[in-house]
Amino acid sequence: MQISYFINQYPKVSHSFIRREIQALERQGFDVQRIALRGWDGDAVDKEDIRELERTKYVLQQGTLPLFEAVLRVLFTTPVPFFNGLKLAVKMGWKAERALPYHLIYLAEACLILPWLKAHSSRHIHAHFGTNSAEVVMLAHELGGPKYSFTVHGPEEFDKPQFLGLGEKIRRSAFVVAISSFGRSQLFRWVEHSYWNKVNVVHCGLEPAFYQGVTAEIPDKLQLVCVGRLCEQKGQLLLLGAMKMLADRGVDFELVLAGDGEMRTEIEQLIEKYQLASRVRITGWISSDQVRKEILAARALVLPSFAEGLPVVIMEAMSLRRPVLTTYVAGIPELVKHGKSGLLFEAGSVEALADAIQNLLSMPSPALVKMGEAARMQVLLRHDIDEEASKLARLFRGHAV
């Protein structure tokens, strides 16, 4: 079965779960075409991502002229579908987060990918994220393209569902995927009950190659790792406040911030202000292999997020037998069980975060090993990539034209 995937940016360091999903579908017999708006000039550091660059078609790589030509082609060859698409784009632009010209650009992008979908004989197109990527595939369907679906991750879609026209995208879709039960409940809020059967849960998955061959041994070094974009929703500023509190208490620790992002300068300034330069290290963007090494070098993963979907890095750490310290938000408590596979604390509380970290750092190694084993068993039960891809495969086949 030929299908297409449409992604805003691909490949991307923080979106390795999309690559794993595509490759798992290919192992199950699907012929997957990769289409992305951008990403051809990204700094791919992972060997798998470098290979994916060569397999991806990019909408914006040749500039705006092809978009204009695509609009004229669809307008003159299939005027009725074009005006139906134009009407839908205008509807989506009404009271939207972005002004109408953006939605007209999405229409042009949909016009551009139509011949790509036809050339691949795609019977379905799937988008990741319920933002502009979902709108482009919806418009492509309105123009005469195949049925579409999309995966909602959060938290962005949950923050502004009305401005994203999330309800309209769900109603017109063949089906929608949420990555957690919490995510499914949020989608239920924005469509009528008659559409709830369209919303399915398919977890992000891990490949055995990532976690095989790892022993249960916990490092003696009192090191923690926080993996993720340096941004407001991940809570790194709160984490530094907790580390300052622990330093004042005389607690020994080291912290690795694995990632990069728009708040790096502010985070670096706070590290200097709190006099934590000798204890805190920022890696910048690193490959999945390097992320794996940083997790294995730590006693635990800490992720003090304010808003989430269900972070893949939590799954990765648990599969490597590392306990997780994180917050009671979104789908996280569905996976991390407090006191068994990790420690959960109240989001936004620097005191609760500091106490949780101090509690974990004081645990003897046998207790951490037991917690890490429970974490591994829990995540392997729920997040096997081939098992989750098989759920998605059934949905694709069930909605084939």
Side-chain angles (χ1 to χ4, degrees):
M1 179 177 175
Q2 287 81 18
I3 62 173
S4 296
Y5 260 58
F6 186 83
I7 308 124
N8 201 344
Q9 184 173 342
Y10 183 81
K12 190 176 180 181
V13 173
S14 57
H15 293 169
S16 58
F17 57 88
I18 300 177
R19 183 192 71 222
R20 289 196 291 264
E21 182 176 285
I22 290 173
Q23 292 173 341
L25 287 168
E26 289 177 327
R27 289 194 293 271
Q28 299 194 27
F30 285 81
D31 182 358
V32 185
Q33 179 186 46
R34 290 96 155 135
I35 303 175
L37 288 178
R38 55 184 65 83
W40 67 88
D41 56 351
D43 296 327
V45 294
D46 191 287
K47 290 182 293 185
E48 292 285 344
D49 282 343
I50 293 171
R51 281 194 285 266
E52 288 296 292
L53 279 171
E54 301 172 356
R55 304 187 64 183
T56 304
K57 297 179 73 68
Y58 292 101
V59 173
L60 301 178
Q61 190 170 13
Q62 304 302 322
T64 58
L65 181 59
L67 292 175
F68 181 71
E69 293 172 342
V71 168
L72 293 179
R73 183 186 65 249
V74 177
L75 171 61
F76 287 113
T77 58
T78 54
V80 173
F82 177 82
F83 282 108
N84 288 338
L86 178 61
K87 181 179 177 181
L88 179 56
V90 171
K91 180 179 181 180
M92 294 299 292
W94 183 252
K95 295 183 179 180
E97 177 193 22
R98 290 182 165 181
L100 177 59
Y102 284 95
H103 300 268
L104 298 180
I105 293 172
Y106 302 156
L107 178 63
E109 292 165 350
C111 290
L112 181 65
I113 69 173
L114 278 179
W116 297 354
L117 299 173
K118 184 177 181 180
H120 187 67
S121 300
S122 288
R123 299 169 65 186
H124 193 97
I125 182 167
H126 185 75
H128 265 272
F129 306 102
T131 51
N132 60 315
S133 54
E135 183 166 341
V136 172
V137 298
M138 178 180 69
L139 291 170
H141 175 60
E142 191 71 13
L143 294 172
K147 293 180 180 179
Y148 76 92
S149 55
F150 60 99
T151 296
V152 173
H153 293 264
E156 184 177 6
E157 297 99 332
F158 308 148
D159 289 343
K160 43 193 174 185
Q162 292 170 304
F163 293 123
L164 292 173
L166 201 55
E168 189 72 24
K169 294 170 183 174
I170 296 171
R171 294 183 195 98
R172 293 174 178 267
S173 70
F175 64 89
V176 181
V177 170
I179 63 168
S180 68
S181 184
F182 171 82
R184 178 173 54 186
S185 74
Q186 297 309 293
L187 298 183
F188 284 171
R189 298 175 58 198
W190 302 108
V191 288
E192 298 79 6
H193 182 262
S194 59
Y195 292 98
W196 284 15
N197 64 327
K198 286 191 172 189
V199 185
N200 304 267
V201 175
V202 178
H203 301 121
C204 295
L206 299 175
E207 290 180 331
F210 182 83
Y211 54 78
Q212 284 178 341
V214 176
T215 66
E217 185 178 353
I218 297 291
D220 293 329
K221 194 174 184 180
L222 299 178
Q223 181 170 300
L224 301 172
V225 63
C226 176
V227 182
R229 175 178 289 276
L230 305 183
C231 61
E232 52 82 21
Q233 74 188 42
K234 296 296 183 181
Q236 289 101 345
L237 297 179
L238 187 83
L239 178 57
L240 291 176
M243 304 319 274
K244 172 66 165 62
M245 189 175 293
L246 292 176
D248 291 343
R249 294 178 187 175
V251 177
D252 188 22
F253 66 85
E254 290 184 29
L255 172 66
V256 176
L257 299 177
D260 214 324
E262 57 270 25
M263 292 185 66
R264 178 164 183 164
T265 299
E266 187 175 357
I267 288 170
E268 288 174 335
Q269 291 171 347
L270 201 58
I271 291 172
E272 183 178 355
K273 177 182 177 181
Y274 289 161
Q275 299 180 338
L276 295 174
S278 62
R279 298 177 179 234
V280 180
R281 171 170 57 93
I282 302 176
T283 67
W285 291 125
I286 54 179
S287 69
S288 59
D289 286 342
Q290 291 171 305
V291 168
R292 185 177 184 274
K293 290 177 182 177
E294 292 290 359
I295 293 173
L296 288 172
R299 291 174 73 82
L301 173 84
V302 57
L303 197 65
S305 300
F306 302 151
E308 282 293 355
L310 181 54
V312 173
V313 70
I314 287 181
M315 306 168 202
E316 292 175 336
M318 293 174 70
S319 75
L320 296 174
R321 294 187 172 93
R322 291 298 180 268
V324 175
L325 294 88
T326 187
T327 49
Y328 288 98
V329 300
I332 291 175
E334 296 174 33
L335 179 58
V336 182
K337 304 304 177 184
H338 180 68
K340 294 183 178 179
S341 54
L343 299 178
L344 297 172
F345 52 89
E346 298 88 344
S349 172
V350 67
E351 293 85 3
L353 173 53
D355 290 344
I357 293 174
Q358 187 169 2
N359 182 11
L360 183 131
L361 291 177
S362 65
M363 285 185 182
S365 291
L368 290 176
V369 168
K370 182 178 179 180
M371 192 174 282
E373 286 294 337
R376 181 182 173 90
M377 291 179 62
Q378 176 73 3
V379 77
L380 297 191
L381 185 66
R382 287 171 45 102
H383 295 278
D384 177 82
I385 185 59
D386 290 308
E387 175 62 29
E388 298 308 309
S390 70
K391 298 176 185 177
L392 201 51
R394 287 193 291 270
L395 290 169
F396 287 144
R397 294 189 176 107
H399 291 278
V401 177

